[in-house]
Amino acid sequence: PMPLLLLLLLLHAAALATHAIYRRAAFRVAALLPASLLLPASAAGEVERLRSADGLIRELKSQWSDLTIDCRYGEMRRELLSAENKERLLAEASSTSKSGTTVTVCKSSGVQVRKVLGTTAESSLSRMGALLERPALLQRVPEDSLEAYQAASEQLQQALAAADGAAYLAGNDYSAQTTFRRGESTDTPNLDAAFQSVSEAQQALARILEIVQAGG
């Protein structure tokens, strides 16, 4: 008899294949519908949101360091903890200013990245899958570009999901749990993976905009 795990894997693969076929058919049907059957709305709003999403991704990449490094932490200056600096430590402790005893330190974080991606806050990238399947937008896709549009749409959604997942896992990075001085080099494997996925999303979105703008 077929092992249960293999059977489940085959069923899952079949389900994914069926879903992909259904999505391709839906794309093709919606794109070929006459304008009179579309919802009474222009695609201009959808295209503008895609442009806004593209601008948001560009801004996210340009401000990546600022968004992924949180420097709201402070720690005691280590040199003050030595025995020879005991008197200085007591003097600084009695001062109203703590700048002499503490130093600002940072931790890496993917929290702001997830907000920009529209996962934990509303943004131009929220519910991108639903936007890409709106009939008014699909109507702008030339028939000979349907496959390319669908491929880019799937690539965009997969890249955004991967970026969000990596940004979430960034909380496990060593630099997210251990403080470091601003400017120090840090090891952020999950944030690096998130950045790579954001770049892939940018490429896919650029392709989508190229297609819908050519068809408009």
Side-chain angles (χ1 to χ4, degrees), residues 67-104:
L67 292 172
T68 58
I69 297 179
D70 183 358
C71 293
R72 295 177 298 169
Y73 303 93
E75 67 178 22
M76 184 73 70
R77 291 184 181 274
R78 296 171 186 173
E79 62 269 20
L80 294 178
L81 299 179
S82 59
E84 58 268 23
N85 287 324
K86 181 178 179 180
E87 291 185 3
R88 181 186 170 192
L89 176 60
L90 292 174
E92 294 286 0
S94 62
S95 174
T96 56
S97 174
K98 301 303 179 184
S99 60
T101 58
T102 61
V103 59
T104 300

Side-chain angles (χ1 to χ4, degrees), residues 136-156:
L137 185 60
L138 293 173
Q139 186 73 15
R140 297 175 64 106
V141 180
E143 184 176 358
D144 59 358
S145 297
L146 281 173
E147 292 295 330
Y149 178 84
Q150 194 219 0
S153 297
E154 292 181 353
Q155 181 186 357
L156 173 59

Side-chain angles (χ1 to χ4, degrees), residues 6-112:
L6 178 58
L7 178 59
L8 291 175
L9 289 174
L10 289 174
L11 290 174
H12 180 63
L16 289 177
T18 301
H19 180 65
I21 293 173
Y22 170 78
R23 282 175 56 84
R24 290 190 182 93
F27 271 116
R28 186 172 297 278
V29 170
L32 295 178
L33 283 174
S36 60
L37 295 182
L38 294 177
L39 295 176
S42 169
E46 283 83 349
V47 174
E48 185 56 36
R49 184 180 159 190
L50 289 176
R51 293 192 183 114
S52 177
D54 179 64
L56 189 59
I57 289 179
R58 293 176 185 274
E59 185 176 358
L60 171 61
K61 292 182 65 178
S62 67
Q63 298 184 19
W64 189 264
S65 294
D66 292 334
L67 292 172
T68 58
I69 297 179
D70 183 358
C71 293
R72 295 177 298 169
Y73 303 93
E75 67 178 22
M76 184 73 70
R77 291 184 181 274
R78 296 171 186 173
E79 62 269 20
L80 294 178
L81 299 179
S82 59
E84 58 268 23
N85 287 324
K86 181 178 179 180
E87 291 185 3
R88 181 186 170 192
L89 176 60
L90 292 174
E92 294 286 0
S94 62
S95 174
T96 56
S97 174
K98 301 303 179 184
S99 60
T101 58
T102 61
V103 59
T104 300
V105 291
C106 313
K107 288 184 179 181
S108 62
S109 172
V111 172
Q112 297 303 321

Side-chain angles (χ1 to χ4, degrees), residues 93-195:
S94 62
S95 174
T96 56
S97 174
K98 301 303 179 184
S99 60
T101 58
T102 61
V103 59
T104 300
V105 291
C106 313
K107 288 184 179 181
S108 62
S109 172
V111 172
Q112 297 303 321
V113 173
R114 300 192 73 210
K115 287 183 179 180
V116 175
L117 293 175
T119 306
T120 58
E122 189 71 18
S123 84
S124 299
L125 294 168
S126 300
R127 298 181 297 279
M128 185 58 63
L131 171 65
L132 294 170
E133 294 181 2
R134 288 184 182 175
L137 185 60
L138 293 173
Q139 186 73 15
R140 297 175 64 106
V141 180
E143 184 176 358
D144 59 358
S145 297
L146 281 173
E147 292 295 330
Y149 178 84
Q150 194 219 0
S153 297
E154 292 181 353
Q155 181 186 357
L156 173 59
Q157 294 175 74
Q158 290 170 2
L160 290 175
D164 179 67
Y168 174 78
L169 291 175
N172 297 326
D173 285 347
Y174 180 79
S175 58
Q177 302 180 24
T178 305
T179 58
F180 56 90
R181 302 284 182 93
R182 185 188 291 274
E184 287 183 347
S185 60
T186 57
D187 184 27
T188 56
N190 286 302
L191 281 178
D192 293 345
F195 186 87

